[in-house]
Amino acid sequence: MNRPIRVLVAKCGLDGHDRGAKIIATSLRDAGMEVIYTGLRQTPEMIVNTALQEDVDAIGISILSGAHMTVFPKIMKLMKEKQLDDVLLTGGGIIPEGDMKQLNELGVGTLFPPGTSTADIVEYISDWTKEHRSF
């Protein structure tokens, strides 16, 4: 790789709890990735536009609000419209297993529940990027 993996970490909607997102952002940075953290209260449109502008390899959504079945499909739709077909959409938070399965079927990558090792998340993003992105 000629450049670090670029990851956008975002909080969508009114969910104001960003401690987990900041921990993930720090862990990804510590692993050598370049992280763009959007801060709180982002819309799906803002997230996808930032991903496009920053030429990211992956988008990680932290969601604890219960709106995951609205947020992830909306972001996925916008990514398809903007032709971000080779960008990983992943995330984590309070997401029931059945919902995770439905979102995976829509094209969302692995979703991580609270307590997941940050090393597992780093490994997943690294492996996915090596397999799906060429730079």
Side-chain angles (χ1 to χ4, degrees):
M1 283 189 202
N2 298 336
R3 65 167 176 81
I5 296 170
R6 295 173 60 89
V7 182
L8 177 69
V9 175
K11 294 290 295 184
C12 194
L14 299 177
D15 182 353
H17 301 280
D18 64 350
R19 184 167 174 242
K22 288 179 176 175
I23 290 168
I24 297 300
T26 300
S27 298
L28 297 174
R29 270 191 201 111
D30 289 351
M33 296 182 194
E34 191 175 321
V35 178
I36 299 96
Y37 175 59
T38 64
L40 297 171
R41 296 178 182 84
Q42 299 292 298
T43 65
E45 292 81 4
M46 293 162 76
I47 292 167
V48 173
N49 285 335
T50 301
L52 193 59
Q53 290 167 3
E54 296 289 346
D55 188 29
V56 299
D57 303 299
I59 300 171
I61 305 294
S62 169
I63 191 155
L64 303 170
S65 67
H68 51 272
M69 295 304 284
T70 303
V71 168
F72 281 102
K74 176 75 172 170
I75 291 172
M76 184 63 70
K77 178 179 179 281
L78 292 166
M79 287 174 69
K80 282 183 175 34
E81 287 172 9
K82 303 279 186 179
Q83 299 173 340
L84 294 176
D85 302 318
D86 62 344
V87 174
L88 170 64
L89 176 60
T90 184
I94 311 294
I95 305 171
E97 200 170 307
D99 290 353
M100 284 186 187
K101 189 174 185 305
Q102 278 186 307
L103 292 168
N104 295 148
E105 288 168 2
L106 288 176
V108 176
T110 300
L111 297 167
F112 300 95
T116 301
S117 157
T118 55
D120 290 348
I121 297 169
V122 167
E123 181 180 14
Y124 171 68
I125 292 172
S126 295
D127 290 349
W128 189 97
T129 303
K130 284 177 190 147
E131 188 176 325
H132 295 91
R133 299 279 290 184
S134 54
F135 52 87

